[in-house]
Amino acid sequence: VAAQNCRKRKLNAILNLEKDVDNLQTQKESLKKQHSWCSRSIRRMKQKLNNLYRDIFSRLRDEQGRPIHPHQYTIHYSSEGTVLIIPKHSIKSKQKQDNKKEQKQK
């Protein structure tokens, strides 16, 4: 009787593990679909952002009426909702300063 009960517990454990495997495979497939959908969504958003970025820079002009080049400037969005056009070299120099500060703190 003890051996029979042991075999029954072992069989139940195997069946439970098989159910778990099936559930995990179903969950894996669902996550794969969700990942694929998110990746496509991110690609579409990036494309829209790039199109918007190009559109904005195609309309911007400096004080002399010359177009502002997107390779020299970047768009900065603040948390307050303001939008600034900033020269890229000033951002790079600020990042270098921030990196130096971080290294000194370490």
Side-chain angles (χ1 to χ4, degrees):
V1 174
Q4 194 175 19
N5 287 339
C6 183
R7 285 189 294 272
K8 188 175 180 180
R9 281 193 306 271
K10 183 177 178 181
L11 183 60
N12 284 336
I14 291 172
L15 291 174
N16 287 335
L17 288 172
E18 286 175 348
K19 286 179 187 176
D20 289 346
V21 168
D22 288 341
N23 289 337
L24 289 171
Q25 286 175 337
T26 303
Q27 185 179 6
K28 179 182 175 184
E29 290 302 315
S30 175
L31 289 172
K32 279 184 176 180
K33 289 178 185 177
Q34 185 178 2
H35 180 268
S36 176
W37 182 86
C38 288
S39 294
R40 283 192 308 270
S41 179
I42 288 171
R43 278 194 305 273
R44 284 192 304 265
M45 291 174 124
K46 283 182 178 180
Q47 185 61 44
K48 286 181 181 181
L49 184 61
N50 285 333
N51 291 343
L52 179 61
Y53 196 80
R54 277 195 304 267
D55 186 45
I56 289 170
F57 273 101
S58 71
R59 297 169 189 236
L60 289 176
R61 301 286 183 255
D62 64 8
E63 295 82 23
Q64 288 80 30
R66 295 176 297 203
I68 293 178
H69 296 284
H71 299 293
Q72 298 171 347
Y73 293 88
T74 187
I75 300 173
H76 176 74
Y77 313 95
S78 72
S79 58
E80 297 86 34
T82 57
V83 179
L84 302 171
I85 306 298
I86 301 173
K88 285 187 177 180
H89 64 82
S90 67
I91 291 176
K92 289 179 184 176
S93 64
K94 183 176 179 357
Q95 287 174 346
K96 286 179 185 177
Q97 289 172 355
D98 291 344
N99 288 342
K100 286 180 184 178
K101 287 180 185 177
E102 287 177 13
Q103 288 176 354
K104 286 181 182 178
Q105 289 175 353
K106 289 180 182 180

